[in-house]
């Protein structure tokens, strides 16, 4: 029972931080709906079972359900890169441009992860670079994420969230949203 409480507490804390940052950036609906599916008992059971596994064979037994759960989560939530892979009618993974509001949610999610792990802004950028190496990402989306993370490292948080909300202040963001090069 204690493990389930710890699981739900960590989900609650993470969602609270993401909601806080999304609200600062003006994305209220995304802040409220972020990771709601993680409250499902099926998510909790698989995650807790995986964390309890001590023996390598026990861990291996929990690996497939855990990976399936994570894959489903990634493919059904727009703030994951996997959601934006277009592989219908082809055997290729063609990355699509992620709408700006979901880029905001991605950044807010990473800032929340950074706060939970006591990272500095440079470590968020390193996290993205490491994450990006294993993902297929639209080059324009990558450019905007790099721009925002670079900006986040240089300015106070209040200025950063102001920019997220007021995209007209940035030519890079305006061009991205208006679909210009």
């Amino acid at each position: 029972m204690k493990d389930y409480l710890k699981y739900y507490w960590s989900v609650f804390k993470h969602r609270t931080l993401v909601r806080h940052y999304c609200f600062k950036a003006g994305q209220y609906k995304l802040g409220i709906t972020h990771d709601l599916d993680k409250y499902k008992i099926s998510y909790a059971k698989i995650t807790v079972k995986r964390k309890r596994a001590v023996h390598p064979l026990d861990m291996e037994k929990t690996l497939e359900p855990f990976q399936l759960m994570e894959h489903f989560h990634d493919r059904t939530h727009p703030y994951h890169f996997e959601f934006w892979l277009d592989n219908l009618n082809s055997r290729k993974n063609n990355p699509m441009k992620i709408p700006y509001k979901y880029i905001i949610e991605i950044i807010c999610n990473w800032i929340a992860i950074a706060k939970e792990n006591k990272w500095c802004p440079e470590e968020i950028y390193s996290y993205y670079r490491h994450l990006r190496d294993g993902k297929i990402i639209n080059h324009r989306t990558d450019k905007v994420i790099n721009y925002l993370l670079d900006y986040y490292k240089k300015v106070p948080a209040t200025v950063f969230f102001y920019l997220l909300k007021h995209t007209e202040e940035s030519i890079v963001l305006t061009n991205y949203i208006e679909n210009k090069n």
Side-chain angles (χ1 to χ4, degrees):
M1 183 66 163
K2 186 178 178 182
D3 292 334
Y4 285 96
L5 290 174
K6 282 172 66 176
Y7 168 78
Y8 283 117
W9 178 246
S10 69
V11 170
F12 173 77
K13 285 191 314 185
H14 176 71
R15 285 193 69 243
T16 301
L17 284 171
V18 174
R19 185 172 45 250
H20 171 74
Y21 295 128
C22 281
F23 281 19
K24 279 180 141 183
Q27 294 297 327
Y28 305 105
K29 183 179 178 190
L30 296 176
I32 291 169
T33 59
H34 182 84
D35 274 354
L36 273 178
D37 62 330
K38 298 260 174 124
Y39 282 119
K40 290 180 182 175
I41 192 68
S42 57
Y43 270 80
K45 281 182 181 177
I46 292 170
T47 305
V48 168
K49 192 174 185 180
R50 179 128 179 91
K51 287 189 184 206
R52 284 182 180 165
V54 178
H55 193 276
L57 289 175
D58 292 335
M59 291 185 88
E60 195 173 312
K61 286 178 190 174
T62 62
L63 182 62
E64 187 179 348
F66 186 77
Q67 286 176 329
L68 286 172
M69 176 189 71
E70 285 297 309
H71 179 70
F72 176 77
H73 177 79
D74 292 349
R75 294 293 288 173
T76 55
H77 289 80
Y79 62 91
H80 286 287
F81 296 118
E82 292 82 357
F83 184 89
W84 299 100
L85 290 177
D86 177 21
N87 53 12
L88 296 175
N89 302 324
S90 74
R91 295 190 181 264
K92 297 177 183 173
N93 287 323
N94 301 316
M96 297 184 292
K97 182 180 140 191
I98 299 176
Y100 181 68
K101 69 179 185 175
Y102 297 117
I103 290 177
I104 291 176
E105 188 177 8
I106 289 168
I107 301 283
C108 291
N109 187 36
W110 293 344
I111 294 171
I113 291 168
K115 182 150 178 108
E116 292 164 350
N117 293 304
K118 297 177 175 62
W119 293 350
C120 62
E122 290 79 21
E123 289 173 296
I124 299 173
Y125 191 75
S126 297
Y127 173 77
Y128 172 63
R129 302 298 294 170
H130 175 72
L131 182 76
R132 192 185 87 166
D133 290 342
K135 307 282 184 197
I136 302 169
I137 302 169
N138 177 283
H139 73 282
R140 295 187 67 232
T141 299
D142 180 51
K143 184 178 174 181
V144 166
I145 290 173
N146 277 311
Y147 171 79
L148 288 171
L149 290 177
D150 192 44
Y151 196 73
Y152 181 69
K153 288 190 299 187
K154 295 177 183 173
V155 299
T158 51
V159 175
F160 178 72
F161 286 107
Y162 176 84
L163 176 70
L164 289 181
K165 214 182 224 185
H166 300 90
T167 55
E168 67 278 358
E169 305 279 332
S170 164
I171 293 170
V172 173
L173 296 180
T174 306
N175 288 344
Y176 183 80
I177 294 165
E178 293 175 357
N179 209 14
K180 296 177 186 173
N181 285 330

